[in-house]
Amino acid sequence: MDPQATYDHIAAHFSKTREHPWPEVESFLADRSATTALDVGCGNGRHTESLADRAECVVGVDLSRGLLREAVERARDRGFDDVASFVHGDAAALPIADDAVGLGVYVATLHHLPSRGARVRSLDELGRVLDPDGTALVSAWSTAHDRFDREHGFDTTVDWTLPGGETVPRYYHIYAPREFDADLAESRLSVVESTVSSGNCYAVVADGGS
């Protein structure tokens, strides 16, 4: 299952259902600012827009070119295109320089990476690009969500239904909270705070060094 092809296929419809930033992201961003911000797995740019209010420049990275087109259009329509730029890239190999980012969000994306190795590499990459004083918010779907009745993390697919009735399966790794914490601990990130909210695992992180 190719996540790039999947999200390219559903990008336009998916974008229409992703209008507002998550409350947890807005809460994290409150009273924070930076020169350069980063949105990993930016999708249609809804959280890039929130970052644009708090940084001199913000970069959105996504694997789906279809979603990047949606993000560019959103930035133009909403007037934050002078602050935001969008780049095609993989969360496990970010096209961003070392120590370049003061503020980041990496939400609703980690769980789409197809192996633990790739997920931990992506967390390492986030740490690599954060500057020494930088901080970021990471999230992933969790077994704590009402739709799941599991204690341990597992792989699954979650269908997306397009307007004509076509169902498109999307890969997810559903994290147990302890497993989420273990992957963060395995990475170079330093965890400031780890919580569960609205069925998702969240962590506020900084770079802990290589």
Side-chain angles (χ1 to χ4, degrees):
M1 190 176 300
D2 179 353
Q4 179 174 348
T6 296
Y7 276 92
D8 282 350
H9 185 51
I10 69 173
H13 183 239
F14 182 83
S15 179
K16 290 177 183 177
T17 69
R18 297 297 187 272
E19 179 64 21
H20 304 292
W22 286 359
E24 291 87 353
V25 173
E26 293 288 83
S27 177
F28 166 73
L29 293 178
D31 302 322
R32 285 186 165 97
S33 62
T35 300
T36 303
L38 174 66
D39 186 358
V40 182
C42 66
N44 72 344
R46 59 175 168 161
H47 293 130
T48 317
E49 182 175 1
S50 297
L51 286 164
D53 291 333
R54 297 164 175 86
E56 294 178 19
C57 64
V58 56
V59 179
V61 177
D62 205 281
L63 192 62
S64 166
R65 295 187 188 277
L67 284 174
L68 288 171
R69 285 192 291 271
E70 296 290 329
V72 168
E73 183 176 344
R74 182 188 182 104
R76 186 183 304 119
D77 290 347
R78 293 172 178 257
F80 64 97
D81 54 327
D82 59 332
V83 177
S85 57
F86 297 96
V87 180
H88 181 253
D90 186 336
L94 289 171
I96 306 291
D98 294 359
D99 303 326
V101 174
L103 184 62
V105 294
Y106 180 19
V107 299
T109 299
L110 176 67
H111 49 231
H112 290 309
L113 275 67
S115 69
R116 183 177 188 236
R119 292 189 289 271
V120 173
R121 281 197 305 277
S122 76
L123 297 170
D124 284 338
E125 280 288 274
L126 181 60
R128 176 184 66 79
V129 304
L130 284 173
D131 71 35
D133 297 318
T135 187
L137 180 69
V138 181
S139 84
W141 271 26
S142 167
T143 55
H145 197 286
D146 291 342
R147 72 188 294 168
F148 305 119
D149 186 21
R150 304 271 192 104
E151 291 186 8
H152 302 288
F154 65 99
D155 296 333
T156 189
T157 58
V158 178
D159 285 343
W160 185 268
T161 304
L162 291 168
E166 179 187 0
T167 57
V168 181
R170 300 170 296 155
Y171 168 84
Y172 277 77
H173 179 75
I174 310 301
Y175 268 99
R178 271 192 249 178
E179 179 194 14
F180 180 71
D181 290 341
D183 278 9
L184 289 166
E186 180 71 17
S187 79
R188 65 181 282 168
L189 290 170
S190 172
V191 178
V192 178
E193 180 185 8
S194 180
T195 60
V196 174
S197 176
S198 303
N200 295 300
C201 293
Y202 288 91
V204 177
V205 298
D207 181 27
S210 57

